[in-house]
Amino acid sequence: MRLALGISYQGGHYQGWQSQSSGQTVQDQLEKALSQFADHRVSTLCAGRTDAGVHGLMQVVHFDTPVNRPEASWVRGPNALLPRDIAVQWARHVPAEFHCRASALSRRYAYSLLESPVRPSVEHGRVGWVHRPLNLELMQQAAARLLGEHDFTSFRASACQALSPVKHLMRIDICRRGAYWRFEFEANAFLHHMIRNLMGCLLLVGDQRRPPEWISEVLAARDRDAAAPTFSPDGLYFLGPCYAPHWGLPERTPLFDLLP
């Protein structure tokens, strides 16, 4: 029997998603709780790995189990065993051919950013921060130059394990609510640190240290040194993958709307 779960988590206390010998990752904590609940060793696959400090609003995992329990039990049971900053949002029985990563049509991230002369306090670890004023129109002009299928080598971390740097960036939406900015990205897949590197470049355009056309130069360079430094992970949220409707999985969670 194959199960898919939607997982939310605050990434600040963990060394990213992927299991490590330290045991201090989201995957380690989730598999520990699932194994205890199912009374057998559970190994999960995820739709998209996240780095240390990055949050997840709808990470999707799947795993196989001989244990037949109601879907609601797969939410309540593991949640009683998980740390308070990790929670199962939903559970669905899925066909054996479903694969949380390979079946995904696209993946979505959001970056929540505070523009303020004073650093965040209550929101520490949950938002990025800039102290210079940002220009929406300039950032939108720069973002438009990134859309489509490109070689994103300039925005790729040196440790990236992706087989190809060519990705299709489908959407970048930028909006402001008071002192907070929200950037949403959707692509078929993302490279390691790709969004944080895109954010660094968009913000250099937004505070007018670079013109919008500079983004095209960075893209064409195919050289990481051509781009801005990697931006903070604090405000980065994995919104989740998109699947075809026939899988019957939730498209959104109410947590999406909690972002500034």
Side-chain angles (χ1 to χ4, degrees), residues 20 22 41 62 84 92 99 103 112 132 151 162 164 193 210 219 224 235-236 243 245:
Q20 297 184 28
S22 66
R41 178 75 177 93
H62 82 257
R84 294 174 65 87
R92 297 288 188 276
H99 191 287
S103 299
S112 184
R132 293 185 174 93
D151 182 328
S164 170
H193 285 176
R210 294 287 190 276
L219 194 61
R224 179 68 192 94
L236 185 56
Y243 297 106

Side-chain angles (χ1 to χ4, degrees), residues 129-171:
W129 174 53
V130 292
H131 59 85
R132 293 185 174 93
L134 298 175
N135 183 292
L136 173 60
E137 183 178 354
L138 293 177
M139 291 191 291
Q140 289 175 330
Q141 291 176 21
R145 295 169 177 266
L146 296 165
L147 298 179
E149 187 173 85
H150 302 286
D151 182 328
F152 284 96
T153 296
S154 294
F155 303 94
R156 179 183 192 176
S158 60
C160 182
Q161 299 177 358
L163 297 178
S164 170
V166 177
K167 303 299 174 189
H168 183 191
L169 188 52
M170 305 168 182
R171 180 174 61 89

Side-chain angles (χ1 to χ4, degrees), residues 2-154:
R2 180 158 292 185
L3 277 164
L5 304 180
I7 312 296
S8 63
Y9 51 90
Q10 294 182 18
H13 295 147
Y14 301 100
Q15 297 172 328
W17 170 267
Q18 190 172 7
S19 181
Q20 297 184 28
S21 58
S22 66
Q24 292 301 113
T25 72
V26 180
Q27 184 179 20
D28 289 321
Q29 297 297 317
L30 176 65
E31 291 184 353
K32 179 181 176 182
L34 289 173
S35 298
Q36 186 175 345
F37 176 71
D39 199 26
H40 71 84
R41 178 75 177 93
V42 172
S43 296
T44 62
L45 291 173
C46 74
R49 300 171 188 167
T50 53
D51 294 332
V54 177
H55 314 292
L57 295 191
M58 198 174 75
Q59 175 69 270
V60 177
V61 306
H62 82 257
F63 61 94
D64 295 324
T65 177
V67 178
N68 187 5
R69 292 179 180 170
E71 292 174 347
S73 295
W74 287 101
V75 176
R76 294 193 301 268
N79 279 347
L81 303 167
L82 283 165
R84 294 174 65 87
D85 50 7
I86 304 174
V88 179
Q89 297 293 318
W90 52 259
R92 297 288 188 276
H93 293 98
V94 291
E97 59 268 24
F98 173 80
H99 191 287
C100 62
R101 186 171 302 164
S103 299
L105 303 176
S106 66
R107 292 159 179 81
R108 298 162 295 176
Y109 282 84
Y111 199 100
S112 184
L113 181 76
L114 173 66
E115 179 192 314
S116 169
V118 179
R119 63 171 174 79
S121 56
V122 174
E123 319 98 310
H124 172 70
R126 300 182 185 181
V127 297
W129 174 53
V130 292
H131 59 85
R132 293 185 174 93
L134 298 175
N135 183 292
L136 173 60
E137 183 178 354
L138 293 177
M139 291 191 291
Q140 289 175 330
Q141 291 176 21
R145 295 169 177 266
L146 296 165
L147 298 179
E149 187 173 85
H150 302 286
D151 182 328
F152 284 96
T153 296
S154 294

